[in-house]
Amino acid sequence: MHIPDGFVSVPVAAATSVASVAALGIALGRSQNAFGIRRAPVLGLTTAFIFAAQMINFPVAGGTSGHLLGGTLAAIILGSPWAGTLCIATVLIIQAVLFADGGITALGANIFNMGVIGVWVGWILTQTLQRLLGGARGRLPLAAGIAAGISVVVAAIACAIELVLSGTAPSLIVLPAMTGVHILIGIGEGLITGSVLTYLATVRPDLLPGEQQQFKGWLVPVVSIFLIAGVLSLAASAWPDGLEKVAEDLGFIKLSENVRVPVPTPLADYGIEGLGAIGTSIAGIIGAVVCFGVAFAIAQLVKPKNA
């Protein structure tokens, strides 16, 4: 769902950028209570994991693929939707700047859709479903999985509305197209979110908020992230993702070629020229390390002074 340059108009790009900057400013202030010395590494690890997981496109149907958005997962692990917004925004900025994934001019729209709407819809629905399911901690993966799937669809609808407001595609065509394909992608999102939370609750509860255990160490999460970014990413589906497929079917895919802000990076498209699969692995690991470093620095910046 990464909108490239050229898909949204200047007014829509400007409006969503203002909204995203405002949301990030509030998130930086509201996240102070979410981070102490113990939680700072968790923000870094979560951000690196979301980046790595987004490299893996899974096939859905009709020659279309999808990938994890991770907004709900990030908010639940970090225990705060504000922290979740910072996490997803960090991933999106690094993807756009280092990997030319998502347009620079559309960065505000991407953060608004995935880092604000996706995170908050997932968080609010998770809390609501948890209460309806009796509040048992064991029901959290189910509640979060359902919420995550729905959050993807809502974020896709927001993206479609931005395309309509930009004059890129008519509402009667793009809204049902985006909604339909992202319902399928949302199922994958829900399954991944529920599975990850089930694993963490069983094996690594120290990575979840509200737990009293000390942080158990870096080895397993770091190795897991490197395996996902450096190895599993090589098995990603080559099919276009939901937005790209809709753009191809509706004929506005060429807009990204007409208005493209060049990003001077040797890691464009998650690869290194001339290295093939090895280049993809290296790019993935570099991206995960950068995501961790930036997120960890943010956690150090916003943590309370007495932490």
Side-chain angles (χ1 to χ4, degrees):
M1 204 190 300
H2 293 67
I3 303 173
D5 293 314
F7 277 21
V8 293
S9 64
V10 172
V12 170
T16 52
S17 294
V18 170
S20 295
V21 169
L24 291 175
I26 297 172
L28 284 170
R30 295 292 184 89
S31 293
Q32 285 190 343
N33 293 331
F35 301 120
I37 293 175
R38 190 176 73 86
R39 299 305 297 173
V42 179
L43 177 63
L45 291 171
T46 302
T47 305
F49 174 80
I50 297 295
F51 169 85
Q54 284 195 7
M55 290 184 66
I56 305 177
N57 279 46
F58 51 85
V60 285
T64 308
S65 69
H67 62 71
L68 180 77
L69 296 189
T72 302
L73 182 61
I76 298 302
I77 292 176
L78 298 170
S80 164
W82 297 111
T85 291
L86 291 178
C87 170
I88 300 303
T90 299
V91 171
L92 292 171
I93 292 170
I94 289 172
Q95 287 173 331
V97 173
L98 292 185
F99 299 94
D101 186 11
I104 298 297
T105 59
L107 189 53
N110 286 326
I111 292 175
F112 183 72
N113 296 339
M114 291 181 272
V116 179
I117 292 178
V119 168
W120 277 91
V121 169
W123 173 263
I124 292 172
L125 282 178
T126 298
Q127 306 309 308
T128 302
L129 290 172
Q130 265 289 81
R131 287 193 292 270
L132 292 176
L133 293 172
R137 192 171 183 82
R139 302 290 177 87
L140 177 61
L142 175 61
I146 295 172
I150 295 174
S151 73
V152 170
V153 178
V154 176
I157 292 173
C159 176
I161 291 173
E162 290 157 7
L163 295 175
V164 172
L165 293 176
S166 299
T168 302
S171 60
L172 293 179
I173 298 178
V174 74
L175 276 169
M178 285 290 289
T179 302
V181 70
H182 282 90
I183 287 175
L184 299 176
I185 295 173
I187 293 173
E189 177 93 11
L191 292 173
I192 295 171
T193 299
S195 299
V196 171
L197 289 175
T198 298
Y199 169 80
L200 292 178
T202 304
V203 181
R204 292 299 304 265
D206 59 303
L207 295 176
L208 294 174
E211 297 290 342
Q212 300 304 314
Q213 295 95 335
Q214 292 295 318
F215 186 70
K216 292 182 179 179
W218 299 81
L219 181 60
V220 173
V222 169
V223 170
S224 298
I225 290 169
F226 282 179
L227 283 175
I228 294 171
V231 180
L232 295 182
S233 62
L234 300 178
S237 171
W239 290 350
D241 66 14
L243 174 59
E244 186 178 358
K245 179 62 174 177
V246 169
E248 290 178 354
D249 292 343
L250 301 187
F252 61 86
I253 188 68
K254 291 184 178 180
L255 291 176
S256 62
E257 301 173 0
N258 298 335
V259 185
R260 181 168 183 172
V261 178
V263 180
T265 172
L267 303 177
D269 298 322
Y270 301 95
I272 299 176
E273 188 175 355
L275 293 184
I278 295 177
T280 299
S281 296
I282 295 174
I285 292 173
I286 291 174
V289 170
V290 172
C291 281
F292 175 86
V294 172
F296 188 83
I298 291 173
Q300 296 298 317
L301 175 67
V302 304
K303 73 180 182 182
K305 292 182 179 180
N306 61 348

